[in-house]
Amino acid sequence: MKTAVALTIAGSDSGGGAGVQADLKTFAFNYVHGTSVITCLTAQNTKTVTEVMAVSSDMVKAQFEAVISDIKVDALKTGMLFNEEIISTVADCIKTWGGKNILIDPVMVSRTGAQLIDNEAVEAMKSLLFPQALMLTPNLYEAQLLSGISITSIDDMKQAATKIYDLGVKTVLIKGGAAQGENKGIDVFFDGQDYTVIQIKAVDTLNNHGTGCSLGAAITAHLALGKSLPRAIASAKEYVTTALEYSLEIGSGCGPIGHFFPMIESQYLEFHQN
Ligand code: PXL
């Protein structure tokens, strides 16, 4: 039996909700073996990030080469890359991989609106990574930063997607999880020709940490399984929406989504009776 393999190139979240931890859980619960290249460490819980430390670019490269020299990777995604040097290293690595299933999550601005990487790193991402992406998955803040459009409606999301597409990416999925009101949880996909408005339902929970990472990871997993981009997006949106419905009440801040809901009917409930 052939097992599909996905790779995440991203930062560690010690709280286990976002970043590499979210990606690996998402891969596993979408039937794909997960491998990882860790770019930075965050000291983080459900409330706050207290420290961030970059991994050396040599070590980033070494992790990547160890994985791809031995294991056939079917799809990869990038997440938090932290600085210009790591971005440039990752861009070179991806080029040597040569595969097409590349999802770039341009982690630049957090859901709370704080810019996470400096302007040089934003420019490096645009020039070195965007041209290699099969799909770019900005959140609303990142879409605003990249397009220069202030987004308050679905039409604004479409306009922003067009501007981002014009930066030279093959397809764009703007994630609407951070929207308020009736547009909450609506994503817009643009492939250069058609816009697809993707909506299942808005799940009203504070425990949504890692939603964006997990949506991208689930798309990557389904690409690794050989699905087309529209089918991968649909399956991923369904996974993340249900995981939000089963989100976890842990910590005193913003808890993670429930990545393991597929177990909910069986062992999971048995072990979590009270
Ligand atoms: O969702 C963006 C993100 C990516 N990677 C890491 C994170 C976060 C947000 O908290 O912690 C490691």
Side-chain angles (χ1 to χ4, degrees), residues 9 37 39 55-65 81 83-96 124 128-129 132:
I9 306 173
V37 169
T39 57
V55 169
S56 74
S57 53
D58 284 348
M59 188 59 198
V60 169
K61 190 170 173 207
Q63 292 173 79
F64 184 85
E65 286 178 347
L81 301 179
N83 64 31
E84 197 182 353
E85 192 183 340
I86 294 176
I87 290 167
S88 161
T89 302
V90 169
D92 289 345
C93 287
I94 292 176
K95 229 174 248 161
T96 66
L128 303 175
L129 282 177
Q132 300 194 59

Side-chain angles (χ1 to χ4, degrees), residues 10-13 18-20 40 42 44 49 79-80 105 107 116 209-210 212-213:
S12 163
D13 169 3
V20 162
C40 60
T42 70
Q44 181 171 182
V49 177
M80 186 169 173
D105 188 0
V107 177
L116 297 172
H209 184 55
C213 300

Side-chain angles (χ1 to χ4, degrees), residues 17-19 22-23 77 103 105 107 111 137 139 173 175 177 208-219 240 244 257:
D23 292 347
K77 74 166 288 232
L103 183 145
D105 188 0
V107 177
R111 248 176 195 246
T137 58
N139 65 23
L173 178 75
K175 300 175 290 192
N208 57 13
H209 184 55
T211 311
C213 300
S214 302
L215 181 67
I219 294 169
V240 168
L244 272 164
I257 66 172

Side-chain angles (χ1 to χ4, degrees), residues 176-187:
Q180 300 299 324
E182 62 179 11
N183 293 337
K184 187 169 176 59
I186 300 180
D187 306 325

Side-chain angles (χ1 to χ4, degrees), residues 151-195:
I151 300 175
T152 58
S153 68
I154 301 300
D155 271 351
D156 294 340
M157 287 172 83
K158 290 180 179 173
Q159 265 197 49
T162 311
K163 288 247 179 195
I164 295 168
Y165 175 83
D166 288 342
L167 292 174
V169 294
K170 292 181 190 71
T171 68
V172 189
L173 178 75
I174 300 183
K175 300 175 290 192
Q180 300 299 324
E182 62 179 11
N183 293 337
K184 187 169 176 59
I186 300 180
D187 306 325
V188 169
F189 177 65
F190 182 55
D191 62 4
Q193 292 206 307
D194 299 311
Y195 301 94

